[in-house]
Amino acid sequence: MATKPPAKAPLPPVQQPSRDEGGSVVLERRTQKVKPPQMYQVVMLNDDYTPMEFVVVVIQEFFSKDLETATQIMLKIHLDGKGVCGVYTKDVAATKVDQVLDAAHKAGHPLQCLSEPVE
């Protein structure tokens, strides 16, 4: 029982592009230069009704500040009429504003907070 191994099919010839026919074009990959995202600062506004202690707690809870830093920010809000609590990307800043406004509303305080682009 001698059998021959199967014959391999011949491979089709490979055509190399010649320079006379135009050849192929290879484009260089260029790295894209992406600008950093626009940053927004979360600003709290002073009012005559929200207790200072509540403002300090809100700054600590939502902006992860220690007691001393939160107290300094609260005093800036109280004395200057507004104070920056943090700088974030647009979506994060909007979320922080919503969290502060929701907490103030639930506690019955008229505390106002907004975000504005950093120049």
PDB file of all heavy atoms in Angstrom, residues 48-73:
ATOM      1  N   ASP A  48     -27.490  85.418  53.656  1.00  0.00           N
ATOM      2  CA  ASP A  48     -27.602  85.799  55.062  1.00  0.00           C
ATOM      3  C   ASP A  48     -28.314  84.741  55.906  1.00  0.00           C
ATOM      4  O   ASP A  48     -28.552  84.980  57.092  1.00  0.00           O
ATOM      5  CB  ASP A  48     -28.355  87.132  55.188  1.00  0.00           C
ATOM      6  CG  ASP A  48     -27.574  88.287  54.585  1.00  0.00           C
ATOM      7  OD1 ASP A  48     -26.335  88.197  54.548  1.00  0.00           O
ATOM      8  OD2 ASP A  48     -28.198  89.265  54.143  1.00  0.00           O
ATOM      9  N   TYR A  49     -28.670  83.605  55.332  1.00  0.00           N
ATOM     10  CA  TYR A  49     -29.495  82.643  56.056  1.00  0.00           C
ATOM     11  C   TYR A  49     -28.829  81.286  56.277  1.00  0.00           C
ATOM     12  O   TYR A  49     -29.118  80.631  57.277  1.00  0.00           O
ATOM     13  CB  TYR A  49     -30.829  82.434  55.313  1.00  0.00           C
ATOM     14  CG  TYR A  49     -31.572  83.730  55.142  1.00  0.00           C
ATOM     15  CD1 TYR A  49     -31.534  84.415  53.933  1.00  0.00           C
ATOM     16  CD2 TYR A  49     -32.280  84.307  56.186  1.00  0.00           C
ATOM     17  CE1 TYR A  49     -32.199  85.614  53.767  1.00  0.00           C
ATOM     18  CE2 TYR A  49     -32.951  85.511  56.047  1.00  0.00           C
ATOM     19  CZ  TYR A  49     -32.905  86.163  54.830  1.00  0.00           C
ATOM     20  OH  TYR A  49     -33.547  87.354  54.682  1.00  0.00           O
ATOM     21  N   THR A  50     -27.976  80.854  55.382  1.00  0.00           N
ATOM     22  CA  THR A  50     -27.339  79.540  55.523  1.00  0.00           C
ATOM     23  C   THR A  50     -26.279  79.604  56.625  1.00  0.00           C
ATOM     24  O   THR A  50     -25.403  80.463  56.591  1.00  0.00           O
ATOM     25  CB  THR A  50     -26.673  79.115  54.201  1.00  0.00           C
ATOM     26  OG1 THR A  50     -27.646  79.151  53.166  1.00  0.00           O
ATOM     27  CG2 THR A  50     -26.103  77.718  54.305  1.00  0.00           C
ATOM     28  N   PRO A  51     -26.365  78.701  57.606  1.00  0.00           N
ATOM     29  CA  PRO A  51     -25.376  78.718  58.699  1.00  0.00           C
ATOM     30  C   PRO A  51     -23.964  78.403  58.181  1.00  0.00           C
ATOM     31  O   PRO A  51     -23.771  77.590  57.273  1.00  0.00           O
ATOM     32  CB  PRO A  51     -25.849  77.593  59.633  1.00  0.00           C
ATOM     33  CG  PRO A  51     -27.260  77.317  59.260  1.00  0.00           C
ATOM     34  CD  PRO A  51     -27.397  77.693  57.822  1.00  0.00           C
ATOM     35  N   MET A  52     -22.993  79.055  58.790  1.00  0.00           N
ATOM     36  CA  MET A  52     -21.597  78.849  58.399  1.00  0.00           C
ATOM     37  C   MET A  52     -21.177  77.397  58.600  1.00  0.00           C
ATOM     38  O   MET A  52     -20.414  76.856  57.795  1.00  0.00           O
ATOM     39  CB  MET A  52     -20.678  79.772  59.201  1.00  0.00           C
ATOM     40  CG  MET A  52     -20.845  81.229  58.894  1.00  0.00           C
ATOM     41  SD  MET A  52     -19.705  82.180  59.908  1.00  0.00           S
ATOM     42  CE  MET A  52     -20.100  83.822  59.369  1.00  0.00           C
ATOM     43  N   GLU A  53     -21.670  76.781  59.669  1.00  0.00           N
ATOM     44  CA  GLU A  53     -21.321  75.380  59.948  1.00  0.00           C
ATOM     45  C   GLU A  53     -21.795  74.461  58.827  1.00  0.00           C
ATOM     46  O   GLU A  53     -21.103  73.513  58.445  1.00  0.00           O
ATOM     47  CB  GLU A  53     -21.929  74.925  61.287  1.00  0.00           C
ATOM     48  CG  GLU A  53     -21.361  75.642  62.495  1.00  0.00           C
ATOM     49  CD  GLU A  53     -22.001  77.019  62.732  1.00  0.00           C
ATOM     50  OE1 GLU A  53     -23.044  77.336  62.111  1.00  0.00           O
ATOM     51  OE2 GLU A  53     -21.422  77.785  63.525  1.00  0.00           O
ATOM     52  N   PHE A  54     -22.979  74.744  58.272  1.00  0.00           N
ATOM     53  CA  PHE A  54     -23.497  73.932  57.175  1.00  0.00           C
ATOM     54  C   PHE A  54     -22.614  74.079  55.938  1.00  0.00           C
ATOM     55  O   PHE A  54     -22.311  73.089  55.264  1.00  0.00           O
ATOM     56  CB  PHE A  54     -24.943  74.335  56.844  1.00  0.00           C
ATOM     57  CG  PHE A  54     -25.526  73.563  55.703  1.00  0.00           C
ATOM     58  CD1 PHE A  54     -25.976  72.266  55.878  1.00  0.00           C
ATOM     59  CD2 PHE A  54     -25.604  74.119  54.433  1.00  0.00           C
ATOM     60  CE1 PHE A  54     -26.501  71.540  54.828  1.00  0.00           C
ATOM     61  CE2 PHE A  54     -26.123  73.404  53.371  1.00  0.00           C
ATOM     62  CZ  PHE A  54     -26.576  72.114  53.568  1.00  0.00           C
ATOM     63  N   VAL A  55     -22.177  75.284  55.654  1.00  0.00           N
ATOM     64  CA  VAL A  55     -21.305  75.526  54.497  1.00  0.00           C
ATOM     65  C   VAL A  55     -19.994  74.756  54.657  1.00  0.00           C
ATOM     66  O   VAL A  55     -19.511  74.128  53.712  1.00  0.00           O
ATOM     67  CB  VAL A  55     -21.049  77.038  54.307  1.00  0.00           C
ATOM     68  CG1 VAL A  55     -20.039  77.285  53.198  1.00  0.00           C
ATOM     69  CG2 VAL A  55     -22.353  77.774  54.021  1.00  0.00           C
ATOM     70  N   VAL A  56     -19.433  74.766  55.872  1.00  0.00           N
ATOM     71  CA  VAL A  56     -18.186  74.039  56.130  1.00  0.00           C
ATOM     72  C   VAL A  56     -18.391  72.541  55.902  1.00  0.00           C
ATOM     73  O   VAL A  56     -17.570  71.876  55.254  1.00  0.00           O
ATOM     74  CB  VAL A  56     -17.675  74.322  57.567  1.00  0.00           C
ATOM     75  CG1 VAL A  56     -16.520  73.389  57.918  1.00  0.00           C
ATOM     76  CG2 VAL A  56     -17.237  75.767  57.700  1.00  0.00           C
ATOM     77  N   VAL A  57     -19.495  71.997  56.393  1.00  0.00           N
ATOM     78  CA  VAL A  57     -19.776  70.567  56.225  1.00  0.00           C
ATOM     79  C   VAL A  57     -19.944  70.217  54.747  1.00  0.00           C
ATOM     80  O   VAL A  57     -19.428  69.198  54.274  1.00  0.00           O
ATOM     81  CB  VAL A  57     -21.028  70.161  57.037  1.00  0.00           C
ATOM     82  CG1 VAL A  57     -21.492  68.768  56.666  1.00  0.00           C
ATOM     83  CG2 VAL A  57     -20.744  70.251  58.520  1.00  0.00           C
ATOM     84  N   VAL A  58     -20.640  71.061  54.000  1.00  0.00           N
ATOM     85  CA  VAL A  58     -20.840  70.822  52.566  1.00  0.00           C
ATOM     86  C   VAL A  58     -19.501  70.837  51.829  1.00  0.00           C
ATOM     87  O   VAL A  58     -19.238  69.976  50.987  1.00  0.00           O
ATOM     88  CB  VAL A  58     -21.817  71.872  51.971  1.00  0.00           C
ATOM     89  CG1 VAL A  58     -21.770  71.866  50.454  1.00  0.00           C
ATOM     90  CG2 VAL A  58     -23.224  71.613  52.463  1.00  0.00           C
ATOM     91  N   ILE A  59     -18.651  71.782  52.155  1.00  0.00           N
ATOM     92  CA  ILE A  59     -17.332  71.862  51.509  1.00  0.00           C
ATOM     93  C   ILE A  59     -16.499  70.623  51.843  1.00  0.00           C
ATOM     94  O   ILE A  59     -15.841  70.056  50.967  1.00  0.00           O
ATOM     95  CB  ILE A  59     -16.602  73.162  51.912  1.00  0.00           C
ATOM     96  CG1 ILE A  59     -17.351  74.384  51.353  1.00  0.00           C
ATOM     97  CG2 ILE A  59     -15.156  73.153  51.421  1.00  0.00           C
ATOM     98  CD1 ILE A  59     -16.863  75.713  51.883  1.00  0.00           C
ATOM     99  N   GLN A  60     -16.566  70.184  53.083  1.00  0.00           N
ATOM    100  CA  GLN A  60     -15.826  68.984  53.469  1.00  0.00           C
ATOM    101  C   GLN A  60     -16.360  67.749  52.749  1.00  0.00           C
ATOM    102  O   GLN A  60     -15.587  66.929  52.252  1.00  0.00           O
ATOM    103  CB  GLN A  60     -15.924  68.753  54.982  1.00  0.00           C
ATOM    104  CG  GLN A  60     -15.066  69.683  55.805  1.00  0.00           C
ATOM    105  CD  GLN A  60     -15.220  69.385  57.279  1.00  0.00           C
ATOM    106  OE1 GLN A  60     -16.302  69.484  57.844  1.00  0.00           O
ATOM    107  NE2 GLN A  60     -14.114  69.015  57.913  1.00  0.00           N
ATOM    108  N   GLU A  61     -17.670  67.622  52.710  1.00  0.00           N
ATOM    109  CA  GLU A  61     -18.281  66.410  52.161  1.00  0.00           C
ATOM    110  C   GLU A  61     -18.143  66.306  50.649  1.00  0.00           C
ATOM    111  O   GLU A  61     -17.780  65.262  50.121  1.00  0.00           O
ATOM    112  CB  GLU A  61     -19.760  66.368  52.545  1.00  0.00           C
ATOM    113  CG  GLU A  61     -20.456  65.101  52.105  1.00  0.00           C
ATOM    114  CD  GLU A  61     -21.873  65.019  52.617  1.00  0.00           C
ATOM    115  OE1 GLU A  61     -22.201  65.672  53.626  1.00  0.00           O
ATOM    116  OE2 GLU A  61     -22.669  64.306  51.979  1.00  0.00           O
ATOM    117  N   PHE A  62     -18.446  67.375  49.923  1.00  0.00           N
ATOM    118  CA  PHE A  62     -18.502  67.304  48.466  1.00  0.00           C
ATOM    119  C   PHE A  62     -17.206  67.711  47.766  1.00  0.00           C
ATOM    120  O   PHE A  62     -17.021  67.411  46.589  1.00  0.00           O
ATOM    121  CB  PHE A  62     -19.660  68.147  47.932  1.00  0.00           C
ATOM    122  CG  PHE A  62     -20.994  67.657  48.406  1.00  0.00           C
ATOM    123  CD1 PHE A  62     -21.783  68.441  49.230  1.00  0.00           C
ATOM    124  CD2 PHE A  62     -21.460  66.399  48.052  1.00  0.00           C
ATOM    125  CE1 PHE A  62     -23.002  67.988  49.675  1.00  0.00           C
ATOM    126  CE2 PHE A  62     -22.680  65.939  48.497  1.00  0.00           C
ATOM    127  CZ  PHE A  62     -23.457  66.733  49.311  1.00  0.00           C
ATOM    128  N   PHE A  63     -16.317  68.396  48.481  1.00  0.00           N
ATOM    129  CA  PHE A  63     -15.080  68.849  47.853  1.00  0.00           C
ATOM    130  C   PHE A  63     -13.836  68.258  48.519  1.00  0.00           C
ATOM    131  O   PHE A  63     -12.714  68.649  48.209  1.00  0.00           O
ATOM    132  CB  PHE A  63     -15.018  70.380  47.849  1.00  0.00           C
ATOM    133  CG  PHE A  63     -16.156  70.996  47.081  1.00  0.00           C
ATOM    134  CD1 PHE A  63     -17.282  71.450  47.740  1.00  0.00           C
ATOM    135  CD2 PHE A  63     -16.118  71.079  45.708  1.00  0.00           C
ATOM    136  CE1 PHE A  63     -18.353  71.995  47.036  1.00  0.00           C
ATOM    137  CE2 PHE A  63     -17.174  71.616  44.998  1.00  0.00           C
ATOM    138  CZ  PHE A  63     -18.287  72.070  45.665  1.00  0.00           C
ATOM    139  N   SER A  64     -14.047  67.343  49.465  1.00  0.00           N
ATOM    140  CA  SER A  64     -12.958  66.601  50.130  1.00  0.00           C
ATOM    141  C   SER A  64     -11.887  67.517  50.726  1.00  0.00           C
ATOM    142  O   SER A  64     -10.691  67.278  50.565  1.00  0.00           O
ATOM    143  CB  SER A  64     -12.313  65.620  49.149  1.00  0.00           C
ATOM    144  OG  SER A  64     -13.266  64.739  48.635  1.00  0.00           O
ATOM    145  N   LYS A  65     -12.339  68.552  51.401  1.00  0.00           N
ATOM    146  CA  LYS A  65     -11.408  69.472  52.058  1.00  0.00           C
ATOM    147  C   LYS A  65     -11.359  69.152  53.550  1.00  0.00           C
ATOM    148  O   LYS A  65     -12.337  68.683  54.135  1.00  0.00           O
ATOM    149  CB  LYS A  65     -11.856  70.937  51.881  1.00  0.00           C
ATOM    150  CG  LYS A  65     -12.043  71.365  50.437  1.00  0.00           C
ATOM    151  CD  LYS A  65     -10.756  71.400  49.672  1.00  0.00           C
ATOM    152  CE  LYS A  65     -10.993  71.935  48.267  1.00  0.00           C
ATOM    153  NZ  LYS A  65      -9.842  71.877  47.430  1.00  0.00           N
ATOM    154  N   ASP A  66     -10.200  69.423  54.168  1.00  0.00           N
ATOM    155  CA  ASP A  66     -10.109  69.228  55.618  1.00  0.00           C
ATOM    156  C   ASP A  66     -10.805  70.397  56.316  1.00  0.00           C
ATOM    157  O   ASP A  66     -11.193  71.383  55.674  1.00  0.00           O
ATOM    158  CB  ASP A  66      -8.650  69.080  56.057  1.00  0.00           C
ATOM    159  CG  ASP A  66      -7.804  70.292  55.692  1.00  0.00           C
ATOM    160  OD1 ASP A  66      -8.145  71.418  56.109  1.00  0.00           O
ATOM    161  OD2 ASP A  66      -6.801  70.115  54.972  1.00  0.00           O
ATOM    162  N   LEU A  67     -10.976  70.275  57.624  1.00  0.00           N
ATOM    163  CA  LEU A  67     -11.734  71.274  58.382  1.00  0.00           C
ATOM    164  C   LEU A  67     -11.138  72.674  58.247  1.00  0.00           C
ATOM    165  O   LEU A  67     -11.866  73.649  58.038  1.00  0.00           O
ATOM    166  CB  LEU A  67     -11.801  70.867  59.868  1.00  0.00           C
ATOM    167  CG  LEU A  67     -12.531  71.830  60.788  1.00  0.00           C
ATOM    168  CD1 LEU A  67     -13.991  71.976  60.363  1.00  0.00           C
ATOM    169  CD2 LEU A  67     -12.437  71.370  62.233  1.00  0.00           C
ATOM    170  N   GLU A  68      -9.831  72.781  58.328  1.00  0.00           N
ATOM    171  CA  GLU A  68      -9.189  74.101  58.253  1.00  0.00           C
ATOM    172  C   GLU A  68      -9.387  74.741  56.876  1.00  0.00           C
ATOM    173  O   GLU A  68      -9.751  75.921  56.777  1.00  0.00           O
ATOM    174  CB  GLU A  68      -7.695  73.967  58.559  1.00  0.00           C
ATOM    175  CG  GLU A  68      -6.981  75.308  58.594  1.00  0.00           C
ATOM    176  CD  GLU A  68      -5.518  75.169  58.987  1.00  0.00           C
ATOM    177  OE1 GLU A  68      -5.155  74.173  59.634  1.00  0.00           O
ATOM    178  OE2 GLU A  68      -4.745  76.074  58.622  1.00  0.00           O
ATOM    179  N   THR A  69      -9.175  73.976  55.815  1.00  0.00           N
ATOM    180  CA  THR A  69      -9.341  74.512  54.460  1.00  0.00           C
ATOM    181  C   THR A  69     -10.801  74.870  54.202  1.00  0.00           C
ATOM    182  O   THR A  69     -11.091  75.922  53.613  1.00  0.00           O
ATOM    183  CB  THR A  69      -8.861  73.481  53.421  1.00  0.00           C
ATOM    184  OG1 THR A  69      -7.513  73.127  53.712  1.00  0.00           O
ATOM    185  CG2 THR A  69      -8.940  74.043  52.011  1.00  0.00           C
ATOM    186  N   ALA A  70     -11.722  74.011  54.644  1.00  0.00           N
ATOM    187  CA  ALA A  70     -13.152  74.281  54.463  1.00  0.00           C
ATOM    188  C   ALA A  70     -13.561  75.554  55.202  1.00  0.00           C
ATOM    189  O   ALA A  70     -14.352  76.354  54.684  1.00  0.00           O
ATOM    190  CB  ALA A  70     -13.977  73.089  54.949  1.00  0.00           C
ATOM    191  N   THR A  71     -13.008  75.756  56.382  1.00  0.00           N
ATOM    192  CA  THR A  71     -13.314  76.972  57.155  1.00  0.00           C
ATOM    193  C   THR A  71     -12.769  78.206  56.445  1.00  0.00           C
ATOM    194  O   THR A  71     -13.444  79.248  56.380  1.00  0.00           O
ATOM    195  CB  THR A  71     -12.722  76.863  58.573  1.00  0.00           C
ATOM    196  OG1 THR A  71     -13.241  75.679  59.196  1.00  0.00           O
ATOM    197  CG2 THR A  71     -13.096  78.072  59.418  1.00  0.00           C
ATOM    198  N   GLN A  72     -11.571  78.117  55.876  1.00  0.00           N
ATOM    199  CA  GLN A  72     -11.006  79.251  55.136  1.00  0.00           C
ATOM    200  C   GLN A  72     -11.863  79.594  53.916  1.00  0.00           C
ATOM    201  O   GLN A  72     -12.104  80.775  53.636  1.00  0.00           O
ATOM    202  CB  GLN A  72      -9.573  78.949  54.711  1.00  0.00           C
ATOM    203  CG  GLN A  72      -8.589  78.911  55.858  1.00  0.00           C
ATOM    204  CD  GLN A  72      -7.207  78.451  55.432  1.00  0.00           C
ATOM    205  OE1 GLN A  72      -6.990  78.034  54.296  1.00  0.00           O
ATOM    206  NE2 GLN A  72      -6.255  78.530  56.359  1.00  0.00           N
ATOM    207  N   ILE A  73     -12.313  78.573  53.194  1.00  0.00           N
ATOM    208  CA  ILE A  73     -13.162  78.816  52.026  1.00  0.00           C
ATOM    209  C   ILE A  73     -14.477  79.442  52.464  1.00  0.00           C
ATOM    210  O   ILE A  73     -14.965  80.400  51.846  1.00  0.00           O
ATOM    211  CB  ILE A  73     -13.408  77.508  51.244  1.00  0.00           C
ATOM    212  CG1 ILE A  73     -12.096  77.012  50.625  1.00  0.00           C
ATOM    213  CG2 ILE A  73     -14.463  77.715  50.166  1.00  0.00           C
ATOM    214  CD1 ILE A  73     -12.173  75.621  50.028  1.00  0.00           C
TER     215      ILE A  73
END
